[in-house]
Short mmCIF file of all heavy atoms in Angstrom, two decimals:
data_model
loop_
_atom_site.label_atom_id
_atom_site.label_comp_id
_atom_site.label_asym_id
_atom_site.label_seq_id
_atom_site.Cartn_x
_atom_site.Cartn_y
_atom_site.Cartn_z
N ARG B 1 0.83 -1.20 0.00
CA ARG B 1 0.00 0.00 0.00
C ARG B 1 0.86 1.25 -0.01
O ARG B 1 1.85 1.32 0.73
CB ARG B 1 -0.90 0.01 1.23
CG ARG B 1 -1.93 -1.06 1.27
CD ARG B 1 -2.76 -0.94 2.52
NE ARG B 1 -3.74 -2.00 2.63
CZ ARG B 1 -4.63 -2.11 3.60
NH1 ARG B 1 -4.63 -1.21 4.57
NH2 ARG B 1 -5.48 -3.11 3.62
N ARG B 2 0.46 2.18 -0.83
CA ARG B 2 1.15 3.46 -0.96
C ARG B 2 2.59 3.29 -1.45
O ARG B 2 3.36 4.24 -1.41
CB ARG B 2 1.12 4.24 0.36
CG ARG B 2 -0.30 4.54 0.79
CD ARG B 2 -0.39 5.11 2.21
NE ARG B 2 -1.78 5.32 2.59
CZ ARG B 2 -2.58 4.36 3.02
NH1 ARG B 2 -2.13 3.13 3.14
NH2 ARG B 2 -3.83 4.63 3.34
N GLY B 3 2.95 2.11 -1.89
CA GLY B 3 4.27 1.89 -2.44
C GLY B 3 5.37 1.89 -1.42
O GLY B 3 6.54 2.16 -1.75
N SER B 4 5.05 1.55 -0.19
CA SER B 4 6.07 1.59 0.87
C SER B 4 7.18 0.58 0.65
O SER B 4 8.35 0.85 0.94
CB SER B 4 5.39 1.33 2.22
OG SER B 4 4.42 2.30 2.49
N TRP B 5 6.81 -0.61 0.16
CA TRP B 5 7.80 -1.67 -0.06
C TRP B 5 7.52 -2.34 -1.40
O TRP B 5 6.38 -2.40 -1.85
CB TRP B 5 7.70 -2.74 1.03
CG TRP B 5 8.00 -2.23 2.40
CD1 TRP B 5 7.10 -1.80 3.34
CD2 TRP B 5 9.28 -2.09 3.01
NE1 TRP B 5 7.74 -1.41 4.48
CE2 TRP B 5 9.10 -1.58 4.30
CE3 TRP B 5 10.58 -2.35 2.57
CZ2 TRP B 5 10.14 -1.33 5.17
CZ3 TRP B 5 11.63 -2.13 3.44
CH2 TRP B 5 11.40 -1.61 4.71
N THR B 6 8.56 -2.87 -1.98
CA THR B 6 8.43 -3.68 -3.19
C THR B 6 9.24 -4.94 -3.01
O THR B 6 10.41 -4.89 -2.64
CB THR B 6 8.92 -2.93 -4.42
OG1 THR B 6 8.26 -1.67 -4.53
CG2 THR B 6 8.61 -3.71 -5.69
N TRP B 7 8.59 -6.08 -3.19
CA TRP B 7 9.26 -7.36 -3.04
C TRP B 7 9.18 -8.15 -4.35
O TRP B 7 8.19 -8.05 -5.06
CB TRP B 7 8.62 -8.18 -1.92
CG TRP B 7 8.94 -7.67 -0.56
CD1 TRP B 7 10.12 -7.09 -0.16
CD2 TRP B 7 8.12 -7.72 0.61
NE1 TRP B 7 10.05 -6.78 1.17
CE2 TRP B 7 8.86 -7.16 1.68
CE3 TRP B 7 6.83 -8.18 0.85
CZ2 TRP B 7 8.35 -7.06 2.95
CZ3 TRP B 7 6.34 -8.09 2.13
CH2 TRP B 7 7.08 -7.52 3.17
N TYR B 8 10.19 -8.98 -4.60
CA TYR B 8 10.27 -9.77 -5.83
C TYR B 8 10.57 -11.23 -5.53
O TYR B 8 11.26 -11.55 -4.56
CB TYR B 8 11.41 -9.24 -6.72
CG TYR B 8 11.28 -7.80 -7.11
CD1 TYR B 8 11.85 -6.79 -6.31
CD2 TYR B 8 10.59 -7.41 -8.25
CE1 TYR B 8 11.73 -5.46 -6.65
CE2 TYR B 8 10.47 -6.07 -8.60
CZ TYR B 8 11.04 -5.12 -7.79
OH TYR B 8 10.92 -3.79 -8.15
N THR B 9 10.07 -12.08 -6.39
CA THR B 9 10.50 -13.46 -6.32
C THR B 9 11.95 -13.56 -6.79
O THR B 9 12.41 -12.73 -7.59
CB THR B 9 9.59 -14.38 -7.17
OG1 THR B 9 9.83 -15.73 -6.87
CG2 THR B 9 9.78 -14.11 -8.65
N ASP B 10 12.66 -14.55 -6.28
CA ASP B 10 14.11 -14.62 -6.53
C ASP B 10 14.46 -14.68 -8.01
O ASP B 10 15.48 -14.11 -8.43
CB ASP B 10 14.69 -15.85 -5.82
CG ASP B 10 14.80 -15.65 -4.32
OD1 ASP B 10 14.70 -14.49 -3.86
OD2 ASP B 10 14.99 -16.66 -3.60
N SER B 11 13.66 -15.33 -8.79
CA SER B 11 14.01 -15.56 -10.20
C SER B 11 14.00 -14.28 -11.05
O SER B 11 14.54 -14.28 -12.16
CB SER B 11 13.09 -16.59 -10.84
OG SER B 11 11.75 -16.13 -10.80
N VAL B 12 13.42 -13.21 -10.53
CA VAL B 12 13.37 -11.96 -11.31
C VAL B 12 14.16 -10.83 -10.68
O VAL B 12 14.28 -9.75 -11.28
CB VAL B 12 11.91 -11.51 -11.56
CG1 VAL B 12 11.08 -12.63 -12.16
CG2 VAL B 12 11.27 -10.96 -10.30
N LYS B 13 14.70 -11.06 -9.49
CA LYS B 13 15.47 -10.01 -8.82
C LYS B 13 16.64 -9.56 -9.68
O LYS B 13 17.35 -10.37 -10.25
CB LYS B 13 15.98 -10.52 -7.47
CG LYS B 13 14.94 -10.58 -6.39
CD LYS B 13 15.53 -11.09 -5.08
CE LYS B 13 14.49 -11.19 -4.00
NZ LYS B 13 15.03 -11.75 -2.74
N GLY B 14 16.81 -8.26 -9.78
CA GLY B 14 17.89 -7.70 -10.59
C GLY B 14 17.54 -7.53 -12.04
O GLY B 14 18.29 -6.88 -12.79
N ARG B 15 16.41 -8.10 -12.47
CA ARG B 15 15.99 -7.99 -13.87
C ARG B 15 14.68 -7.24 -14.02
O ARG B 15 14.48 -6.52 -14.98
CB ARG B 15 15.85 -9.39 -14.50
CG ARG B 15 17.12 -10.22 -14.50
CD ARG B 15 16.95 -11.49 -15.29
NE ARG B 15 15.91 -12.36 -14.78
CZ ARG B 15 14.84 -12.78 -15.47
NH1 ARG B 15 14.69 -12.37 -16.73
NH2 ARG B 15 13.94 -13.59 -14.93
N PHE B 16 13.75 -7.44 -13.08
CA PHE B 16 12.44 -6.82 -13.14
C PHE B 16 12.37 -5.70 -12.09
O PHE B 16 12.91 -5.84 -11.00
CB PHE B 16 11.34 -7.83 -12.83
CG PHE B 16 11.12 -8.87 -13.89
CD1 PHE B 16 11.99 -9.04 -14.95
CD2 PHE B 16 10.00 -9.68 -13.82
CE1 PHE B 16 11.79 -10.01 -15.92
CE2 PHE B 16 9.77 -10.66 -14.79
CZ PHE B 16 10.66 -10.83 -15.83
N THR B 17 11.64 -4.65 -12.43
CA THR B 17 11.41 -3.56 -11.50
C THR B 17 9.93 -3.20 -11.54
O THR B 17 9.38 -2.89 -12.61
CB THR B 17 12.24 -2.33 -11.86
OG1 THR B 17 13.63 -2.67 -11.88
CG2 THR B 17 11.99 -1.21 -10.85
N MET B 18 9.31 -3.23 -10.35
CA MET B 18 7.92 -2.85 -10.24
C MET B 18 7.83 -1.44 -9.70
O MET B 18 8.57 -1.09 -8.77
CB MET B 18 7.15 -3.81 -9.34
CG MET B 18 5.69 -3.49 -9.24
SD MET B 18 4.80 -4.74 -8.26
CE MET B 18 3.11 -4.11 -8.43
N SER B 19 6.92 -0.65 -10.26
CA SER B 19 6.72 0.70 -9.76
C SER B 19 5.24 1.01 -9.80
O SER B 19 4.46 0.31 -10.46
CB SER B 19 7.51 1.72 -10.60
OG SER B 19 7.09 1.67 -11.95
N ARG B 20 4.84 2.03 -9.05
CA ARG B 20 3.43 2.42 -9.06
C ARG B 20 3.34 3.93 -9.12
O ARG B 20 4.16 4.63 -8.50
CB ARG B 20 2.66 1.85 -7.87
CG ARG B 20 3.03 2.35 -6.52
CD ARG B 20 2.37 1.52 -5.43
NE ARG B 20 0.92 1.74 -5.37
CZ ARG B 20 0.07 0.94 -4.72
NH1 ARG B 20 0.52 -0.13 -4.09
NH2 ARG B 20 -1.22 1.20 -4.69
N ASP B 21 2.36 4.40 -9.88
CA ASP B 21 2.09 5.82 -9.99
C ASP B 21 0.68 6.02 -9.43
O ASP B 21 -0.32 5.78 -10.10
CB ASP B 21 2.16 6.28 -11.46
CG ASP B 21 1.99 7.78 -11.63
OD1 ASP B 21 1.39 8.41 -10.75
OD2 ASP B 21 2.46 8.30 -12.63
N ASN B 22 0.61 6.46 -8.16
CA ASN B 22 -0.67 6.57 -7.50
C ASN B 22 -1.54 7.67 -8.12
O ASN B 22 -2.76 7.61 -8.05
CB ASN B 22 -0.48 6.84 -6.00
CG ASN B 22 0.06 5.61 -5.29
OD1 ASN B 22 -0.22 4.47 -5.67
ND2 ASN B 22 0.84 5.83 -4.25
N ALA B 23 -0.93 8.66 -8.72
CA ALA B 23 -1.69 9.72 -9.38
C ALA B 23 -2.42 9.21 -10.62
O ALA B 23 -3.48 9.73 -10.98
CB ALA B 23 -0.78 10.88 -9.75
N LYS B 24 -1.84 8.19 -11.24
CA LYS B 24 -2.44 7.62 -12.45
C LYS B 24 -3.14 6.30 -12.20
O LYS B 24 -3.63 5.67 -13.14
CB LYS B 24 -1.35 7.42 -13.52
CG LYS B 24 -0.73 8.70 -14.03
CD LYS B 24 0.28 8.42 -15.12
CE LYS B 24 0.86 9.72 -15.67
NZ LYS B 24 1.86 9.46 -16.75
N ASN B 25 -3.15 5.85 -10.93
CA ASN B 25 -3.78 4.56 -10.59
C ASN B 25 -3.21 3.43 -11.44
O ASN B 25 -3.96 2.58 -11.95
CB ASN B 25 -5.30 4.62 -10.75
CG ASN B 25 -5.97 5.39 -9.66
OD1 ASN B 25 -5.31 6.01 -8.82
ND2 ASN B 25 -7.30 5.41 -9.65
N THR B 26 -1.92 3.43 -11.60
CA THR B 26 -1.28 2.47 -12.50
C THR B 26 -0.02 1.90 -11.87
O THR B 26 0.71 2.61 -11.16
CB THR B 26 -0.90 3.17 -13.83
OG1 THR B 26 -2.08 3.70 -14.43
CG2 THR B 26 -0.26 2.17 -14.80
N VAL B 27 0.19 0.62 -12.08
CA VAL B 27 1.44 -0.01 -11.71
C VAL B 27 2.12 -0.52 -12.97
O VAL B 27 1.45 -0.81 -13.97
CB VAL B 27 1.27 -1.17 -10.72
CG1 VAL B 27 0.79 -0.64 -9.37
CG2 VAL B 27 0.34 -2.25 -11.25
N TYR B 28 3.42 -0.63 -12.88
CA TYR B 28 4.23 -1.05 -14.02
C TYR B 28 5.15 -2.20 -13.62
O TYR B 28 5.51 -2.35 -12.46
CB TYR B 28 5.08 0.13 -14.52
CG TYR B 28 4.30 1.36 -14.85
CD1 TYR B 28 4.13 2.37 -13.91
CD2 TYR B 28 3.69 1.51 -16.10
CE1 TYR B 28 3.41 3.52 -14.21
CE2 TYR B 28 2.96 2.65 -16.40
CZ TYR B 28 2.83 3.65 -15.45
OH TYR B 28 2.09 4.77 -15.75
N LEU B 29 5.52 -2.97 -14.61
CA LEU B 29 6.53 -3.99 -14.41
C LEU B 29 7.54 -3.86 -15.56
O LEU B 29 7.22 -4.24 -16.69
CB LEU B 29 5.94 -5.39 -14.37
CG LEU B 29 6.91 -6.49 -14.01
CD1 LEU B 29 7.40 -6.36 -12.55
CD2 LEU B 29 6.29 -7.88 -14.21
N GLN B 30 8.68 -3.29 -15.26
CA GLN B 30 9.75 -3.19 -16.24
C GLN B 30 10.55 -4.48 -16.22
O GLN B 30 11.11 -4.84 -15.19
CB GLN B 30 10.66 -2.01 -15.95
CG GLN B 30 11.84 -1.86 -16.89
CD GLN B 30 11.41 -1.52 -18.31
OE1 GLN B 30 10.54 -0.66 -18.50
NE2 GLN B 30 12.01 -2.18 -19.29
N MET B 31 10.58 -5.17 -17.34
CA MET B 31 11.24 -6.46 -17.43
C MET B 31 12.43 -6.37 -18.38
O MET B 31 12.24 -6.12 -19.58
CB MET B 31 10.24 -7.52 -17.92
CG MET B 31 8.98 -7.61 -17.08
SD MET B 31 7.88 -8.96 -17.57
CE MET B 31 7.43 -8.42 -19.21
N ASN B 32 13.61 -6.54 -17.85
CA ASN B 32 14.84 -6.49 -18.63
C ASN B 32 15.52 -7.86 -18.64
O ASN B 32 15.20 -8.73 -17.82
CB ASN B 32 15.80 -5.45 -18.05
CG ASN B 32 15.22 -4.05 -18.07
OD1 ASN B 32 14.44 -3.68 -18.96
ND2 ASN B 32 15.61 -3.24 -17.09
N SER B 33 16.45 -8.04 -19.55
CA SER B 33 17.20 -9.29 -19.65
C SER B 33 16.26 -10.50 -19.64
O SER B 33 16.48 -11.47 -18.91
CB SER B 33 18.21 -9.39 -18.50
OG SER B 33 19.11 -8.31 -18.51
N LEU B 34 15.25 -10.41 -20.45
CA LEU B 34 14.23 -11.46 -20.46
C LEU B 34 14.80 -12.79 -20.93
O LEU B 34 15.69 -12.84 -21.80
CB LEU B 34 13.06 -11.03 -21.33
CG LEU B 34 12.10 -10.05 -20.65
CD1 LEU B 34 11.25 -9.33 -21.69
CD2 LEU B 34 11.23 -10.75 -19.64
N LYS B 35 14.27 -13.85 -20.36
CA LYS B 35 14.68 -15.21 -20.66
C LYS B 35 13.48 -16.00 -21.18
O LYS B 35 12.34 -15.67 -20.84
CB LYS B 35 15.21 -15.89 -19.40
CG LYS B 35 16.34 -15.15 -18.71
CD LYS B 35 16.73 -15.83 -17.40
CE LYS B 35 17.83 -15.09 -16.68
NZ LYS B 35 18.20 -15.76 -15.41
N PRO B 36 13.73 -17.05 -21.94
CA PRO B 36 12.60 -17.87 -22.42
C PRO B 36 11.72 -18.38 -21.28
O PRO B 36 10.49 -18.49 -21.44
CB PRO B 36 13.29 -19.02 -23.15
CG PRO B 36 14.57 -18.42 -23.65
CD PRO B 36 15.00 -17.47 -22.56
N GLU B 37 12.31 -18.64 -20.12
CA GLU B 37 11.52 -19.12 -18.98
C GLU B 37 10.63 -18.04 -18.39
O GLU B 37 9.82 -18.33 -17.48
CB GLU B 37 12.42 -19.72 -17.91
CG GLU B 37 13.57 -18.86 -17.48
CD GLU B 37 14.86 -19.18 -18.21
OE1 GLU B 37 14.83 -19.40 -19.44
OE2 GLU B 37 15.92 -19.22 -17.53
N ASP B 38 10.74 -16.80 -18.83
CA ASP B 38 9.83 -15.75 -18.41
C ASP B 38 8.53 -15.76 -19.22
O ASP B 38 7.60 -15.02 -18.91
CB ASP B 38 10.48 -14.37 -18.55
CG ASP B 38 11.65 -14.17 -17.64
OD1 ASP B 38 11.56 -14.58 -16.45
OD2 ASP B 38 12.67 -13.60 -18.09
N THR B 39 8.47 -16.61 -20.23
CA THR B 39 7.26 -16.71 -21.06
C THR B 39 6.09 -17.15 -20.20
O THR B 39 6.15 -18.18 -19.51
CB THR B 39 7.48 -17.72 -22.20
OG1 THR B 39 8.49 -17.18 -23.08
CG2 THR B 39 6.19 -17.94 -22.98
N ALA B 40 5.02 -16.37 -20.23
CA ALA B 40 3.85 -16.65 -19.39
C ALA B 40 2.77 -15.60 -19.69
O ALA B 40 3.04 -14.59 -20.36
CB ALA B 40 4.21 -16.59 -17.91
N VAL B 41 1.59 -15.87 -19.16
CA VAL B 41 0.57 -14.82 -19.08
C VAL B 41 0.80 -14.11 -17.75
O VAL B 41 0.87 -14.74 -16.69
CB VAL B 41 -0.85 -15.41 -19.15
CG1 VAL B 41 -1.88 -14.30 -18.98
CG2 VAL B 41 -1.05 -16.16 -20.46
N TYR B 42 0.92 -12.79 -17.83
CA TYR B 42 1.17 -11.98 -16.64
C TYR B 42 -0.12 -11.32 -16.20
O TYR B 42 -0.83 -10.70 -16.99
CB TYR B 42 2.23 -10.92 -16.95
CG TYR B 42 3.63 -11.49 -16.98
CD1 TYR B 42 4.02 -12.34 -18.01
CD2 TYR B 42 4.54 -11.23 -15.96
CE1 TYR B 42 5.30 -12.90 -18.03
CE2 TYR B 42 5.81 -11.78 -15.98
CZ TYR B 42 6.18 -12.63 -17.01
OH TYR B 42 7.45 -13.16 -17.01
N TYR B 43 -0.40 -11.47 -14.89
CA TYR B 43 -1.62 -10.94 -14.32
C TYR B 43 -1.30 -9.88 -13.27
O TYR B 43 -0.37 -10.03 -12.48
CB TYR B 43 -2.41 -12.05 -13.62
CG TYR B 43 -2.90 -13.13 -14.54
CD1 TYR B 43 -2.13 -14.27 -14.78
CD2 TYR B 43 -4.14 -13.03 -15.16
CE1 TYR B 43 -2.58 -15.27 -15.61
CE2 TYR B 43 -4.61 -14.03 -16.00
CZ TYR B 43 -3.81 -15.15 -16.21
OH TYR B 43 -4.27 -16.15 -17.04
N CYS B 44 -2.13 -8.87 -13.27
CA CYS B 44 -2.09 -7.84 -12.24
C CYS B 44 -3.15 -8.19 -11.21
O CYS B 44 -4.24 -8.69 -11.57
CB CYS B 44 -2.39 -6.50 -12.89
SG CYS B 44 -2.49 -5.10 -11.79
N ALA B 45 -2.86 -7.96 -9.93
CA ALA B 45 -3.80 -8.26 -8.87
C ALA B 45 -3.77 -7.19 -7.80
O ALA B 45 -2.73 -6.55 -7.58
CB ALA B 45 -3.48 -9.63 -8.25
N ALA B 46 -4.91 -7.03 -7.12
CA ALA B 46 -5.04 -6.03 -6.07
C ALA B 46 -5.53 -6.68 -4.80
O ALA B 46 -6.45 -7.51 -4.83
CB ALA B 46 -5.99 -4.92 -6.50
N SER B 47 -4.93 -6.28 -3.67
CA SER B 47 -5.27 -6.87 -2.39
C SER B 47 -5.57 -5.81 -1.35
O SER B 47 -4.82 -4.83 -1.22
CB SER B 47 -4.10 -7.74 -1.89
OG SER B 47 -4.36 -8.20 -0.59
#
């Protein structure tokens, strides 16, 4: 909430960066150094 912390699963640490823009009600996932094993359907979720 409010972007206080960001946590990542180990397999994407150092490659993916999550950010949120509360003014735009939007979150982002910047994915760099992509690997074939990153192939998937990506879902956004709210808790």
Side-chain angles (χ1 to χ4, degrees):
R1 294 180 182 182
R2 300 171 182 81
S4 300
W5 298 95
T6 306
W7 286 326
Y8 302 90
T9 192
D10 285 345
S11 62
V12 308
K13 284 180 181 177
R15 300 188 300 122
F16 290 11
T17 302
M18 183 175 183
S19 60
R20 67 190 290 165
D21 185 335
N22 289 330
K24 295 183 177 180
N25 285 7
T26 302
V27 293
Y28 305 95
L29 186 66
Q30 177 67 44
M31 305 185 295
N32 299 328
S33 302
L34 282 161
K35 305 175 181 180
E37 51 264 43
D38 295 318
T39 295
V41 177
Y42 283 71
Y43 296 92
C44 177
S47 173

